[in-house]
Amino acid sequence: MTPLDGQQRLTTLFLLHWYAAKHEKIERDKYAFLHLFSYETRYSARDFCSFLVDYIPSFEKILSEEIIDQAWFPLDWKKDSTISAMLVMLDEIHRIFADVENLWKKLENGAISFYFLPIRDMGLSDELYIKMNSRGKPLSLFEHFKAEMEHILKSIGEESSRRILKKIDTDWTDMLWKYRGEDNVIDDEFLCYFRFICDILCYKSGGTLQGKKLTEFELLDAFFSSKNENAAKNLSYMEKCFDIWCKSHLNTTPSEFLGRFISSGHENGKIILDSKKDIFCDCLKNYADIYGSRNRAFPLNRVVLLYAIVVYLLNKDAVTEEDFARRLRMVHNLCRNSEDEISDSEQRTSGNRMPSILRQVDSIIICGIIDGKIENNFNLYQLSEERIKLEWGENNPNLLEELFAVEDHELLYGQIGILGLEHPEYFNAFQELFKCNKDLIDCAMLSVGDYTQTDRNGWRYQIGSKCISKAWVNLFHKGAASGYDKTQDILLKLLEKLDFCTNDALQEIIDDYLSECEKKSVFDWRYYYIKYADAFRMGRYGKIHWADKENAPYEMLMIYAELYLSGNSYQPFLKLIDEDALSRDEYGQYLIKGDVWFECANDGYYAHSMEDNEIIEMLPVRQNENGIDVENRVLKGMEWYEKF
């Protein structure tokens, strides 16, 4: 290696190794490689280094003076600026490291390293040397990257190399300048978007970069060097991906362009991105960042959405803005409802889906169709819904904006299967309904029927919540839970009942249901849930535990956490009787009063001895032939409990 620059750093590294070897009396064969260090153009420095490697100092006097006293050291060397500087450095090294143990071992283990930029065969030696020395500071990572890029691009073609490097310094810098960081450079922004492009190239070739942690230089080598048979094609794609954001192509700025299609709230012709709606800026700032548990700051669903925009910009002469807005909404709906499907991991059961997902995006954005021949891409249910909505929209163009408005509702975000397309009059009614008190909506739906859904585990049930919207999101999005069709049927029946969606109208439905139950003396679990708010409607995630809902509906636990039983869970009938006596050790399933503990069973209440768990007394609750209470177990249980 003949270095063009870095003389002082390399010489200091050489002297430090020499010092460690001599000071710690390292065997000669271990440091013999120091003879390979030499000066090409300064013969005195070259000879000095050669003599120095063979010399063994005593370290009994000042190191530089001891070296100057040697017979092999001509006195005129003292006037040589290179050698005198090396002597000064040796004295400084001795001052700092004289008491440091195992210095040689530390150096062997890589305690010191430098960034090395190879520039051979680049044809830039003189030019780069002038740049490096005239600016008075080392090259940045981005400047190293550009130098390496120039070296690689020249292997593809001189003309393309000159053109792209010029664009980096002019057109692309002008385009990225608005997004510059506090350091007033666009280096990081350029490299983030470069990584995005490399990821896209990898996905389009059927691969993934997940877990490979390639540097920018390794990405250059992987996609644009002669090692890759598609290097020229990849280079052309990269160039176009940068060009499309330039004003000469967009006729506006990137943020103004994106503002025509993206909003933070519902607007005609736009999709909703709740935060960081300038998705291009988000990519430039966060693409390479990882936070907590290996989560991406720029997640894959945003990668897909940005890719859809890039596809349009690459094909905007063939796709109208109106068509693009509709097609972007389709991609957005698919992204928002394919959380489990959008993955680039080859370790997952379904594998890396990104190549297929990008092909589907191509079909949607360029052709306006969902390609059913592409396997393992977005969520199947959402793909089916988007096909149906596309056809429905062609037949009902005057209702499209009403459809888009309900799609954008915070509880639906693109999936409207819970309403269906048969009753477009419910689009607006649904939005009006969920402006009402969610606790009243929950109770009104239960007044119509049992709309709960069962998680795949078979014991955890989902119902609405007065506080946490995720409960409703779970209910209104088709997934692994069973009972979705039942929820849909009851929601539609409620909307049919309501002439106007108001809190008063909902309360009237609830009151009628409670009155009917009390009139007939029929109290199923829904009656108690609606009647006794404090115990049953805790305002959490809307999760209820039933071991056997069909045969023992009154043996239920209200779940505080989202997915599991905890110390805050409880049996609602027992909480109504005596909240302070609930046993937190057993998920609130028992009451403890003195030497007696109580439980609520489907057929009534049981009192047990704390000493031997024997049943002391049982309070039956009468039920009809269908196993439904015909007397109020809450009132009866309170009265019975008081006597203990």
Side-chain angles (χ1 to χ4, degrees):
M1 179 187 75
T2 302
L4 184 63
D5 195 42
Q7 168 189 322
Q8 293 175 356
R9 281 170 289 173
L10 290 170
T11 301
T12 302
L13 189 63
F14 161 76
L15 294 174
L16 186 60
H17 278 77
W18 176 87
Y19 176 82
K22 304 298 180 176
H23 195 250
E24 297 178 1
K25 297 180 174 57
I26 302 299
E27 296 177 14
R28 182 180 293 272
D29 61 337
K30 288 188 176 181
Y31 67 81
F33 66 88
L34 294 179
H35 272 298
L36 300 176
F37 180 84
S38 184
Y39 275 74
E40 183 73 17
T41 59
R42 298 178 184 178
Y43 70 91
S44 55
R46 181 168 64 244
D47 292 343
F48 174 75
C49 292
S50 179
F51 281 115
L52 190 66
V53 174
D54 292 330
Y55 172 61
I56 301 176
S58 66
F59 294 102
E60 293 178 356
K61 53 192 292 190
I62 297 174
L63 193 53
S64 61
E65 293 179 359
E66 187 175 354
I67 293 172
I68 291 172
D69 283 345
Q70 301 307 306
W72 50 265
F73 189 98
L75 292 180
D76 62 346
W77 278 4
K78 293 171 64 176
K79 299 177 183 178
D80 186 296
S81 60
T82 299
I83 295 174
S84 62
M86 291 168 72
L87 292 172
V88 170
M89 182 56 70
L90 282 172
D91 287 341
E92 184 67 9
I93 287 173
H94 181 61
R95 185 184 70 81
I96 294 175
F97 293 101
D99 298 324
V100 176
E101 297 181 356
N102 300 315
L103 180 58
W104 181 263
K105 186 175 182 180
K106 288 182 172 68
L107 293 170
E108 278 190 320
N109 291 336
I112 295 177
S113 62
F114 292 113
Y115 187 92
F116 171 63
L117 170 65
I119 60 172
R120 62 183 181 275
D121 303 324
M122 290 179 63
L124 283 176
S125 298
D126 293 340
E127 178 187 345
L128 189 61
Y129 180 78
I130 292 169
K131 284 183 180 179
M132 293 172 72
N133 285 276
S134 64
R135 67 206 295 271
K137 55 184 178 181
L139 292 177
S140 68
L141 170 66
F142 185 58
E143 288 166 320
H144 284 303
F145 174 82
K146 284 202 296 182
E148 185 67 17
M149 175 179 274
E150 181 167 2
H151 171 55
I152 288 177
L153 297 190
K154 280 190 172 182
S155 67
I156 298 176
E158 289 280 349
E159 183 181 347
S160 59
S161 174
R162 284 195 301 270
R163 184 180 66 253
I164 289 175
L165 288 169
K166 182 180 178 182
K167 286 182 177 180
I168 291 176
D169 290 333
T170 56
D171 296 351
W172 297 351
T173 293
D174 290 344
M175 178 268 292
L176 294 171
W177 186 246
K178 174 188 175 182
Y179 302 100
R180 65 191 183 278
E182 294 180 359
D183 52 2
N184 270 332
V185 294
I186 50 86
D187 301 4
D188 292 340
E189 288 75 16
F190 180 96
L191 293 174
C192 275
Y193 190 53
F194 173 77
R195 279 188 168 274
F196 166 80
I197 294 170
C198 290
D199 275 358
I200 295 300
L201 287 171
C202 184
Y203 295 142
K204 289 172 79 70
S205 67
T208 177
L209 291 172
Q210 190 193 65
K212 296 178 183 177
K213 300 179 182 177
L214 299 185
T215 66
E216 291 84 356
F217 299 91
E218 290 170 325
L219 291 172
L220 266 177
D221 188 59
F223 293 103
F224 304 100
S225 74
S226 57
K227 295 179 182 178
N228 192 312
E229 61 181 10
N230 295 314
K233 183 179 177 182
N234 291 344
L235 179 60
S236 175
Y237 184 77
M238 183 195 76
E239 183 178 5
K240 291 175 183 176
C241 284
F242 273 98
D243 283 345
I244 57 176
W245 295 103
C246 294
K247 194 167 185 177
S248 59
H249 184 84
L250 281 181
N251 298 319
T252 184
T253 65
S255 59
E256 288 173 348
F257 163 76
L258 291 170
R260 298 209 293 264
F261 303 97
I262 300 173
S263 175
S264 56
H266 174 71
E267 291 184 43
N268 291 349
K270 299 183 181 183
I271 62 170
I272 293 177
L273 288 182
D274 297 328
S275 62
K276 300 176 182 176
K277 62 180 182 177
D278 188 337
I279 192 172
F280 182 58
C281 176
D282 188 17
C283 175
L284 298 179
K285 299 295 183 183
N286 300 302
Y287 191 78
D289 293 347
I290 301 292
Y291 62 91
S293 302
R294 305 302 300 159
N295 291 321
R296 302 167 60 122
F298 194 86
L300 285 177
N301 60 352
R302 288 179 81 81
V303 173
V304 175
L305 194 62
L306 179 56
Y307 174 74
I309 296 168
V310 168
V311 171
Y312 165 67
L313 290 175
L314 291 171
N315 297 274
K316 76 186 189 81
D317 290 340
V319 180
T320 66
E321 280 201 4
E322 183 181 2
D323 284 341
F324 170 62
R326 176 69 186 98
R327 295 168 188 181
L328 182 65
R329 172 172 285 274
M330 292 169 62
V331 173
H332 188 43
N333 290 345
L334 288 164
C335 287
R336 297 178 87 186
N337 292 284
S338 301
E339 183 178 345
D340 293 333
E341 287 79 13
I342 299 180
S343 169
D344 62 352
S345 172
E346 294 175 341
Q347 308 303 316
R348 291 181 54 164
T349 304
S350 59
N352 172 22
R353 289 194 173 205
M354 287 297 285
S356 296
I357 285 173
L358 297 193
R359 288 201 303 275
Q360 190 67 267
V361 170
D362 289 340
S363 179
I364 293 171
I365 298 297
I366 299 172
C367 305
I369 61 173
I370 293 173
D371 189 344
K373 296 178 181 178
I374 301 174
E375 298 181 348
N376 295 325
N377 54 100
F378 292 107
N379 177 273
L380 288 174
Y381 180 80
Q382 193 65 34
L383 284 167
S384 174
E385 181 176 297
E386 292 304 318
R387 285 194 195 94
I388 294 170
K389 285 189 294 193
L390 194 60
E391 182 179 349
W392 182 88
E394 291 173 356
N395 296 323
N396 300 274
N398 58 315
L399 296 174
L400 273 176
E401 283 306 326
E402 292 183 34
L403 170 65
F404 298 158
V406 76
E407 275 187 343
D408 287 343
H409 194 278
E410 63 175 355
L411 301 182
L412 301 181
Y413 52 80
Q415 188 175 118
I416 56 90
I418 197 71
L419 293 171
L421 296 168
E422 295 80 11
H423 300 282
E425 66 272 17
Y426 291 159
F427 293 168
N428 186 62
F430 176 86
Q431 296 175 78
E432 292 301 313
L433 174 63
F434 276 90
K435 290 177 184 176
C436 298
N437 184 303
K438 287 188 175 66
D439 193 41
L440 293 177
I441 299 171
D442 178 20
C443 292
M445 285 184 66
L446 275 184
S447 298
V448 176
D450 180 358
Y451 73 90
T452 57
Q453 294 180 27
T454 316
D455 286 1
R456 69 177 70 189
N457 58 34
W459 58 264
R460 189 172 54 233
Y461 288 71
Q462 180 72 66
I463 199 167
S465 169
K466 61 185 175 183
C467 299
I468 298 179
S469 294
K470 189 175 181 181
W472 296 101
V473 171
N474 291 340
L475 287 163
F476 295 159
H477 286 75
K478 195 163 188 175
S482 61
Y484 177 85
D485 293 341
K486 180 177 61 175
T487 304
Q488 180 191 47
D489 180 61
I490 289 170
L491 174 63
L492 295 179
K493 284 180 178 177
L494 176 62
L495 291 172
E496 186 180 4
K497 277 177 169 283
L498 293 166
D499 293 326
F500 299 98
C501 296
T502 65
N503 289 333
D504 289 342
L506 293 171
Q507 188 65 60
E508 184 177 349
I509 291 172
I510 295 165
D511 291 343
D512 288 347
Y513 169 76
L514 293 177
S515 296
E516 188 69 13
C517 289
E518 291 162 0
K519 180 180 178 181
K520 295 181 177 179
S521 291
V522 176
F523 309 102
D524 72 358
W525 73 268
R526 293 184 295 140
Y527 169 84
Y528 297 116
Y529 180 95
I530 297 169
K531 180 75 173 179
Y532 301 103
D534 292 341
F536 284 85
R537 307 197 302 277
M538 61 197 307
R540 295 293 294 171
Y541 291 92
K543 301 289 187 177
I544 303 176
H545 173 281
W546 267 295
D548 186 357
K549 182 170 182 275
E550 183 177 352
N551 297 306
Y554 303 103
E555 295 179 12
M556 59 198 302
L557 294 176
M558 312 312 292
I559 304 176
Y560 186 84
E562 182 178 8
L563 300 176
Y564 53 86
L565 291 169
S566 68
N568 290 317
S569 303
Y570 59 83
Q571 216 289 338
F573 295 105
L574 296 180
K575 181 179 180 179
L576 283 167
I577 291 174
D578 188 355
E579 180 177 1
D580 294 335
L582 280 172
S583 172
R584 295 302 180 186
D585 294 335
E586 299 293 336
Y587 308 124
Q589 295 183 86
Y590 311 114
L591 294 178
I592 298 177
K593 187 176 184 181
D595 58 356
V596 181
W597 63 273
F598 302 82
E599 66 174 326
C600 176
N602 198 64
D603 57 352
Y605 297 94
Y606 291 81
H608 300 261
S609 167
M610 289 288 290
E611 183 177 350
D612 55 15
N613 292 329
E614 290 293 322
I615 297 174
I616 298 172
E617 187 175 331
M618 187 266 178
L619 175 69
V621 176
R622 289 186 296 111
Q623 296 175 333
N624 61 22
E625 64 277 8
N626 297 316
I628 298 174
D629 290 355
V630 294
E631 53 184 341
N632 188 318
R633 71 169 54 217
V634 173
L635 300 178
K636 191 170 183 178
M638 287 178 172
E639 183 180 350
W640 175 70
Y641 180 76
E642 285 298 322
K643 74 177 188 178
F644 286 91

